[in-house]
Amino acid sequence: TQLLEQSPQFLSIQEGENLTVYCNSSSVFSSLQWYRQEPGEGPVLLVTVVTGGEVKKLKRLTFQFGDARKDSSLHITAAQPGDTGLYLCAGDGNNFNKFYFGSGTKLNVKP
Amino acid sequence: DAGVIQSPRHEVTEMGQEVTLRCKPISGHNSLFWYRQTMMRGLELLIYFNNNVPIDDSGMPEDRFSAKMPNASFSTLKIQPSEPRDSAVYFCASSHDRGRATEAFFGQGTRLTVV
């Protein structure tokens, strides 16, 4: 059973489109991270959100942590082929240092 | 900083053989994680260490799997005997406790194929 559910599982869009990826849970997390993984590589940390309601921006990427710290979203504006990859959310639960990863969203941005 | 270093990058072995995967965490990090990634199950936490001590090994699939961390700069994950269903990409990650948030840094992984 996945503690963190991500949706959609797959997303294929044209360059220039906007998209939103969701990460949901019934559990509360002390912090939540978003990672991007490219084929043949390990996940790379994009951002960490800590405070309920927090919004962080990383160029064209906007991350939001839900008010209750149970969910998060990642919004990409004007997607580019370089954004292609597997996006993973991970929650830092009450268990010290134990990360729970979501199932991932596989994004393909076509030129 | 060299990041988390894993070896080998690829391993092909026959069923029944022993496999040892190696990891060097980022210097100064006090937590180390072993994950397994497959298409079917995604990224699964196998075991994690804090200050070289195994804290939670509940994700280790069975007794064929074992992990050690003899010092702060080295860890191994061993599978003995290996089976075809162990084929996956195995990642090592390390982190440093920063209070409210802890962020993991991953190695490039070891792709294991058991035939």
Side-chain angles (χ1 to χ4, degrees), chain A residues 59-101:
Chain A
K59 297 183 181 176
R60 294 175 293 102
L61 279 60
T62 302
F63 305 85
Q64 184 159 9
F65 202 9
D67 291 340
R69 291 186 287 125
K70 292 182 178 181
D71 54 84
S72 182
S73 64
L74 157 61
H75 182 80
I76 301 179
T77 303
Q80 298 177 2
D83 296 328
T84 293
L86 177 68
Y87 288 81
L88 294 157
C89 64
D92 181 1
N94 292 326
N95 272 336
F96 177 70
N97 263 352
K98 189 168 180 176
F99 291 95
Y100 300 91
F101 273 86

Side-chain angles (χ1 to χ4, degrees), chain B residues 18-37:
Chain B
E18 177 180 295
V19 175
T20 299
L21 311 181
R22 295 172 176 80
C23 175
K24 177 177 166 40
I26 292 173
S27 177
H29 281 191
N30 60 349
S31 289
L32 183 140
F33 309 82
W34 281 102
Y35 286 91
R36 177 172 68 177
Q37 188 175 40

Side-chain angles (χ1 to χ4, degrees), chain A residues 2 30-31 33 35 37 40-45 47-48 50-51 69 86 88 92 95-103 106, chain B residues 9 30-31 33 35 37 39 41-43 45 48 50 55-56 58 91 95 97 100-109 111:
Chain A
Q2 288 281 358
S30 56
S31 69
Q33 292 90 39
Y35 294 80
Q37 184 180 18
E41 302 293 329
V44 175
L45 179 69
V47 79
T48 298
V50 176
T51 306
R69 291 186 287 125
L86 177 68
L88 294 157
D92 181 1
N95 272 336
F96 177 70
N97 263 352
K98 189 168 180 176
F99 291 95
Y100 300 91
F101 273 86
S103 47
K106 199 162 187 178
Chain B
R9 287 295 309 274
N30 60 349
S31 289
F33 309 82
Y35 286 91
Q37 188 175 40
M39 288 288 290
R41 300 168 74 95
L43 204 57
L45 177 64
Y48 81 92
N50 185 252
I55 301 300
D56 186 341
S58 59
F91 287 103
S95 71
D97 181 21
R100 282 191 71 186
T102 305
E103 298 163 342
F105 294 84
F106 283 77
Q108 291 185 298
R111 180 174 293 277

Side-chain angles (χ1 to χ4, degrees), chain B residues 40-61:
Chain B
M40 290 297 293
R41 300 168 74 95
L43 204 57
E44 302 174 277
L45 177 64
L46 301 177
I47 185 171
Y48 81 92
F49 296 84
N50 185 252
N51 293 323
N52 311 339
V53 176
I55 301 300
D56 186 341
D57 65 354
S58 59
M60 296 285 259

